[in-house]
Amino acid sequence: MSEVALTRKPWAKTLNRTQWRSLLAANLGWLFDGFETYALILTAGLVLKTLEPTAPATQVAFLTGATIAVTLLGWGFGGIVGGVFADYFGRRKALLTSMVLYAAFTGLTAVSWSWTSFLVLRFITGFALGSEWGTGTSLVAETWPAHARAKAAGLMQCGLGLGFFLASACWYFIAPLGQDSWRYMFLIGVLPAVFALWLRRKVPESDQWTSAHRRRRELKERGGELTDHEKSFTRLTLRQIMVDPKLRRLTILGSLMSLVTTLGWWGISTWVPAYVASRAAGEGHSATAWASGAGMIYNAGAIAGYIAFGFIADRVGRKPAVLLYFAASLILTPVLFLWTHSLGLIVVVLVINGFFTLGQYTWMPVWLPEFYPTHLRATGAAFVFNAARFIAFLGPLTAGAIISKLGGYGVAATAVGSIYVLGLVVAPFCPETRGQKLPD
């Protein structure tokens, strides 16, 4: 059936079981990543009190930022390596390997005996987490039709928000269990190992990757003189996205926008629970309960934002959707942290803020797979998504240092939030790809 004929039917009725399974696999992989990430954000303070009890109160924000930064660094390295692995060995195998390693090391995190051991295990867990996104993004893009691809990306990306929401909900009940409650949160992270068994049996490999892999193998066996296009199959994938002028330009533009989204979230939104908790404590409410509640409210908005981006991008285009989300995030950062003071109004702003600041992540699974050909797709998308973390890890450190020095969240969040201006400048230079076939 032609793409034109498919678009005349309701989009959900044009899909088969294999496509839905691929989406479910990518969504659940990202959900587990989201749970693990937000569990760290929620528990970092208690972990420090348990493993580093002599740390002065003035250093807690800085040490929390350092813990998050180490995870980000591991995520960056693992994501890039995982993307290369997925292009050479397959989407399904990469996703399966990532989940098993992640489950093992997040379980070990629960038995950390010192802050140093905790940091080491967080780095390794981050390394395992990193490869899931690029692999899942490529799998979904290669199995879904062009008219529904952006919607699938939004549905995949909302797994992160669902994971954040579940982590907040679990912490609401686990936090009262005592000083070691953080260990129980990380033990829950072992569950992806069970899901990996289902993934191995039920999710097929991408046909596009299989074809590209066969082509790569044939060219390597043939040897001899190769055309420039044929050489792109035999070169190391990371090298190819840099030596090809068109791909190099797209990689640089995408990496700058990725830096905006990543630094913006990790440097600003990770402080939402602590900020709301401080406001609640000042009004005589339970700081822990409000921190958990803020996480759930914020991520409810984020889940809607993830999904909505895909529909907006399919309706008006990739570029207008990205510009809308960047502009709204730039405005909403000072609105939340500087200009909103009552708890009731904070709840409303949290939903809207989460819709745009977290929801904007969907531009990457929507747009990046459309930049790269199949044999380079996971490498290119994963590089852009993860390389930003080598700079973005400075966001939590910078914000933590500002908070420690000035004793407030507003100035730190607004200062880091100015990064969204860069996104508004860079996005117009990227190509519009709505409705186009994926590059071969």
Side-chain angles (χ1 to χ4, degrees):
M1 188 178 295
S2 70
E3 187 72 22
V4 173
L6 286 172
T7 57
R8 294 173 181 166
K9 299 175 63 177
W11 68 272
K13 292 185 177 180
T14 65
L15 305 165
N16 58 43
R17 185 174 297 180
T18 296
Q19 290 164 334
W20 284 112
R21 282 178 177 170
S22 298
L23 174 60
L24 180 61
N27 175 275
L28 288 178
W30 203 221
L31 182 150
F32 293 133
D33 285 9
F35 181 94
E36 173 72 14
T37 301
Y38 216 66
L40 174 62
I41 294 169
L42 291 169
T43 62
L46 184 58
V47 171
L48 286 170
K49 289 180 182 178
T50 305
L51 302 179
E52 199 72 18
T54 60
T58 55
Q59 291 186 9
V60 170
F62 177 77
L63 293 176
T64 299
T67 303
I68 295 171
V70 165
T71 302
L72 269 178
L73 283 175
W75 198 333
F77 283 112
I80 294 173
V81 172
V84 175
F85 184 93
D87 275 337
Y88 282 106
F89 299 100
R91 314 317 193 200
R92 186 177 67 169
K93 185 177 291 185
L95 199 57
L96 182 65
T97 302
S98 173
M99 286 185 177
V100 171
L101 289 176
Y102 150 63
F105 283 100
T106 193
L108 289 173
T109 298
V111 296
S112 300
W113 59 93
S114 66
W115 189 52
T116 302
S117 67
F118 184 77
L119 287 182
V120 171
L121 289 167
R122 291 312 308 161
F123 179 86
I124 300 173
T125 302
F127 188 93
L129 285 172
S131 64
E132 292 192 9
W133 183 89
T135 304
T137 292
S138 299
L139 180 65
V140 170
E142 291 165 5
T143 54
W144 279 59
H147 71 276
R149 193 186 304 130
K151 299 178 183 68
L155 292 169
M156 185 209 85
Q157 193 69 28
C158 82
L160 185 72
L162 291 171
F164 287 176
F165 187 90
L166 288 175
S168 297
C170 288
W171 186 237
Y172 183 84
F173 295 102
I174 292 175
L177 298 181
Q179 191 174 7
D180 287 329
S181 55
W182 62 272
R183 299 184 188 274
Y184 307 139
M185 284 290 286
F186 289 112
L187 281 175
I188 294 174
V190 177
L191 290 176
V194 178
F195 168 68
L197 297 175
W198 173 85
L199 173 66
R200 183 181 179 188
R201 297 196 315 269
K202 297 293 185 180
V203 178
E205 184 55 83
S206 158
D207 290 338
Q208 287 191 35
W209 176 82
T210 301
S211 177
H213 180 64
R214 186 184 306 115
R215 177 71 168 151
R216 176 183 280 121
R217 188 172 60 243
E218 289 171 352
L219 289 171
K220 286 185 175 181
E221 290 174 352
R222 192 184 81 187
E225 288 295 322
L226 301 175
T227 65
D228 287 341
H229 178 66
E230 290 172 337
K231 287 178 181 177
S232 74
F233 282 84
T234 59
R235 286 194 188 107
L236 177 67
T237 55
L238 265 178
R239 182 179 174 222
Q240 180 60 28
I241 66 172
M242 294 303 179
V243 299
D244 182 291
K246 178 183 177 182
L247 295 181
R248 181 171 62 244
R249 179 177 181 273
L250 291 174
T251 299
I252 292 172
L253 292 173
S255 295
L256 289 172
M257 290 197 299
S258 177
L259 176 63
V260 170
T261 297
T262 307
L263 182 63
W265 189 76
W266 284 98
I268 302 168
S269 303
T270 49
W271 300 102
V272 164
Y275 169 66
V276 175
S278 69
R279 301 293 308 179
E283 296 186 20
H285 302 290
S286 168
T288 301
W290 270 91
S292 298
M296 289 186 281
I297 294 166
Y298 181 71
N299 286 296
I303 292 167
Y306 290 134
I307 298 172
F309 186 100
F311 285 82
I312 294 171
D314 268 346
R315 171 72 63 169
V316 303
R318 283 43 170 156
K319 198 179 301 185
V322 169
L323 291 171
L324 169 64
Y325 273 65
F326 280 158
S329 298
L330 177 65
I331 295 168
L332 286 165
T333 297
V335 168
L336 175 62
F337 287 94
L338 283 179
W339 304 331
T340 307
H341 304 294
S342 100
L343 284 175
L345 192 55
I346 283 175
V347 169
V348 176
V349 176
L350 275 177
V351 174
I352 304 172
N353 188 286
F355 185 97
F356 289 105
T357 57
L358 255 178
Q360 69 179 255
Y361 263 105
T362 297
W363 80 259
M364 286 189 259
V366 168
W367 220 356
L368 290 178
E370 298 170 348
F371 284 5
Y372 300 96
T374 301
H375 62 291
L376 303 170
R377 183 165 294 121
T379 297
F383 179 86
V384 171
F385 183 75
N386 290 286
R389 283 162 172 72
F390 297 126
I391 301 175
F393 84 95
L394 296 172
L397 287 176
T398 302
I402 295 174
I403 293 167
S404 295
K405 293 290 184 183
L406 301 181
Y409 297 92
V411 174
T414 303
V416 178
S418 62
I419 191 68
Y420 291 118
V421 174
L422 176 62
L424 292 170
V425 172
V426 172
F429 291 95
C430 294
E432 180 57 63
T433 56
R434 178 170 67 106
Q436 298 179 14
K437 280 185 61 179
L438 286 177
D440 293 328

